[in-house]
Amino acid sequence: SGTGPPPPGAAAAAAAAKGLRPRSRADSVPGTPLTYVEFEARMQEASPDLMDAVTRFNLTVLGPNGDGTPPAQGGRKQPGYTFHGTERLEHRCRTFFERMEEVMREH
C-alpha cells in the first residue's frame, strides 16, 4: 500500500532546502505558465509566510493524504489545522482569496 501523494509544498521545500529553484520553461519562454511546484518554489523563496498560508488552506481542503479524505481519528499526531474538505468550499475560497489580496497589497 502506498503512502499517497506528498503533502503540498514538499517539492518546493526540498528545493529550498538545497538552495535550488526548479528550472522552468517559464523562465525562458515568456507567457508560459508555471507548474504548481514551480509556483510553490518561487513563493517559498520570495515569501515563506504567504506560501505557508496557501499550503495551510490547501491542507484544509485536501487533508493530510492529499486526496480530500479527513485525517484519521485518534491518530498519534493530529494536524495543526482544521480539515473541512469541500464543505462551504466556495465561501471559504472567496474569503481566502479576498484575504490574500489584502495581504499581498500590504506585503
Side-chain angles (χ1 to χ4, degrees):
S1 99
T3 59
K18 295 177 184 174
L20 303 174
R21 187 172 95 191
R23 294 185 68 176
S24 168
R25 186 165 180 259
D27 288 334
S28 59
V29 180
T32 302
L34 293 173
T35 66
Y36 188 73
V37 170
E38 292 165 342
F39 165 77
E40 284 183 314
R42 290 182 185 198
M43 280 289 288
Q44 185 64 39
E45 188 177 299
S47 185
D49 56 329
L50 291 178
M51 189 62 234
D52 182 58
V54 170
T55 299
R56 291 179 70 75
F57 178 76
N58 286 343
L59 286 170
T60 69
V61 176
L62 298 174
N65 304 316
D67 62 1
T69 59
Q73 295 297 317
R76 279 202 235 147
K77 184 177 179 186
Q78 292 299 309
Y81 57 88
T82 302
F83 173 77
H84 296 284
T86 58
E87 181 181 333
R88 299 186 65 219
L89 184 59
E90 185 176 336
H91 169 75
R92 290 181 27 244
C93 284
R94 186 178 328 106
T95 302
F96 174 77
F97 288 119
E98 287 170 357
R99 179 65 184 129
M100 287 302 286
E101 285 178 354
E102 289 173 22
V103 170
M104 287 183 178
R105 274 193 296 274
E106 297 167 5
H107 206 271

